Amino acid sequence: MSRARRPLSYVLFAAIGLTLACAPPGQEIVFWQFWPVEVVQPLLDRFEKEHPGVKVRMEQLTWQSGLEKITAAMAAGKAPDLCEMGSTWMPRMLAAGQLTDWSAGVADLRSSLRGWELCSIGDAVYGLPWVLGTRALFYNKTLLARAGLDSLRPPETWAELYAAAEAVHKLGGAVRGYGVQAGERYVLFKKFMPFAWGNGGHILTDDLKRGIFDSPENREALEFYLSLRKVGMMERQDVLDRAFKSGTLGLQISGAWLCRSIPKEAPGLRYGVALVPRPSQERGTHASFAGGELLVSFNSSKHKAMALQLARFLVTPENALALAQSAQSVQPAVIGADTMAFYREHPEQQVMIRQFETAVPTPNHPAWVDLEAAIEDEVEEALHDRKTAEQSVRDAQRRLTDLLAKPTR
């Protein structure tokens, strides 16, 4: 959003306070979420202070068992009033038809937040975007300088990325040019698809009925991703992150959690964050993966109205920023967040917000988890030279077609 539109956002959010002041007292809101208690509790304390008689009973879930617990609660008709939901789980939840339709209750916020496609079906809205996450290019300025490159100008195109990785890789010893992701479910997809999306590739048709993964754009993107193996290392996310923080990896696509851990674990590391390179200056986009945390309520929730009010309270610029600052692994869904003082003072994290402007959400198909796994499996086959890029893309298309043909509910 342009700065000229920001005043409207703040007027809208200010109006929330007037709405909350009318909330009936004497209710207990059950809120399930995944952040550490010390991160979220101060926000809930302030909500309760502003609403005497209203109590929020918060329960912290784990990513390992959270989906199972939410699913069981829905089946038993004992869903919480408000629940944090990861964007990759939303397609399944939307298909289940048990989320509360918030379309009317959040209409005034549509121009103030981004990420609506993560919680919507057509014009119907079933959640509120709270905080968002994406991936961007992290580069080691010291290694780029040692390789004779301009450390203040990160690669902007595929050719520049390969050339930079090659130059750094030639430094030899323990130094590697680029970190290629492999061997990890739910992660490889987020590292490869930015190149495919940036090259104009797609996964499904807009109506979600057909796979269109077997395309020249996706084949070219996979061939480029495979080429990076020659000038880098191929490992899991945590290994690549450790190599980057130790100063032996030149470039990789990673997330904002590095902005949090590097100052603590590698304070002397000179690094930068840039948009994911596009195919060339003449075509393509700086695409990346778009994900986030949504706030939702359920048809079976006891206090749906109050849940919506708490959700609106949590997504205000002030409160979403408080969470993002504390976590430093996500960014507020508020449009214009990159102009907040905190992000002006932290340019690396500011880039993460700007990366989201060209990031792509995953299709809201109920079988998405299986579709994603099929793509990752086939990319993995190519990474280990068990298939060519052409074979992998073709086989991924075949598997997507088979999965789409199965009943989803």
Side-chain angles (χ1 to χ4, degrees), residues 330-409:
V330 292
Q331 294 78 43
V334 179
I335 294 176
D338 59 324
T339 64
M340 293 175 170
F342 174 79
Y343 290 104
R344 293 199 304 271
E345 296 167 0
H346 297 80
E348 295 82 11
Q349 297 202 39
Q350 190 178 46
V351 172
M352 303 302 294
I353 295 177
R354 291 176 177 165
Q355 177 67 81
F356 204 89
E357 295 174 359
T358 50
V360 180
T362 56
N364 262 336
H365 192 282
W368 174 247
V369 174
D370 296 327
L371 298 172
E372 178 179 324
I375 294 172
E376 287 187 329
D377 288 347
E378 294 302 327
V379 172
E380 189 84 26
E381 290 292 296
L383 285 170
H384 292 283
D385 290 323
R386 292 190 284 265
K387 293 182 180 179
T388 65
E390 181 178 3
Q391 290 171 326
S392 292
V393 169
R394 184 180 63 233
D395 288 350
Q397 167 76 27
R398 176 183 51 76
R399 292 178 63 177
L400 296 184
T401 300
D402 292 344
L403 289 167
L404 292 170
K406 295 181 178 179
T408 55
R409 295 181 64 177

Side-chain angles (χ1 to χ4, degrees), residues 237-276:
Q237 176 75 72
D238 60 333
V239 178
L240 295 176
D241 283 349
R242 285 200 299 273
F244 188 80
K245 286 184 279 191
S246 71
T248 59
L249 181 60
L251 308 105
Q252 70 157 333
I253 291 177
S254 194
W257 56 85
L258 278 181
C259 300
R260 177 187 61 204
S261 62
I262 287 175
K264 298 177 182 177
E265 301 172 19
L269 184 70
R270 293 183 61 246
Y271 78 103
V273 182
L275 303 180
V276 174

Side-chain angles (χ1 to χ4, degrees), residues 307-330:
L308 175 58
Q309 291 190 8
L310 176 57
R312 292 180 58 113
F313 174 85
L314 292 173
V315 303
T316 58
E318 177 186 7
N319 293 331
L321 177 63
L323 172 61
Q325 279 187 267
S326 180
Q328 295 207 32
S329 59
V330 292

